[in-house]
Amino acid sequence: QVQLVESGGGSVQSGGSLRLSCAASGDAIVSYVMGWFRQIPGKEREGVAAIDSDGGTTYSDSVSGRFAVSRDNAKNTLYLQMNSLKPEDTAMYSCAADPVYYHGGSLSTHEYTYWGRGTRVTVSS
């Protein structure tokens, strides 16, 4: 079992930056595919960034060029650097993990077994 705990959310003005962290425990995530997802009330969860065990990455069109996903396997932690934030980035952000390899990671919720509870990001105009 893997437990995931997100941190780093908060309120920021449009154009600002935040870095989210996802600390894993219960198992080493070095071989896991990891992803970041976000959800607005009343809407489906959306995949925004993912990273595989080799460091290959995938981004949604809505965040490509602004967000960067990375991992520090020594710290068992996943990160999401978010730059040039927009009001439409406001959401609850969650991280996810799965032991099955998927090249570049996956932005589909169906590919992940373990989920964190999320951290809220609010971007004001």
Side-chain angles (χ1 to χ4, degrees), residues 5-10 18 20-22 35-40 45-49 60 62-63 66-67 80 82 85-96 115-123:
V5 179
E6 302 91 340
S7 62
L18 283 173
L20 305 184
S21 299
C22 171
W36 284 100
F37 293 79
R38 66 186 182 187
Q39 190 169 25
I40 301 169
R45 188 174 283 177
E46 171 195 18
V48 297
S60 68
S62 60
V63 308
R66 300 188 298 122
F67 290 12
L80 184 67
M82 306 187 295
L85 282 162
K86 305 174 181 179
E88 50 264 43
D89 294 318
T90 296
M92 180 70 80
Y93 284 74
S94 301
C95 62
W115 290 85
R117 289 193 164 190
T119 184
R120 186 170 301 279
V121 172
T122 302
V123 184

Side-chain angles (χ1 to χ4, degrees), residues 29-53:
I29 62 167
V30 60
S31 61
Y32 282 62
V33 169
M34 307 288 294
W36 284 100
F37 293 79
R38 66 186 182 187
Q39 190 169 25
I40 301 169
K43 292 194 173 183
E44 290 190 358
R45 188 174 283 177
E46 171 195 18
V48 297
I51 184 168
D52 65 25
S53 55

Side-chain angles (χ1 to χ4, degrees), residues 5 11 18 25 27 58 69 72 80 90-91 95 103 113 118:
V5 179
S11 297
L18 283 173
S25 60
D27 196 7
T58 300
V69 60
D72 186 335
L80 184 67
T90 296
C95 62
H103 180 67
T113 302

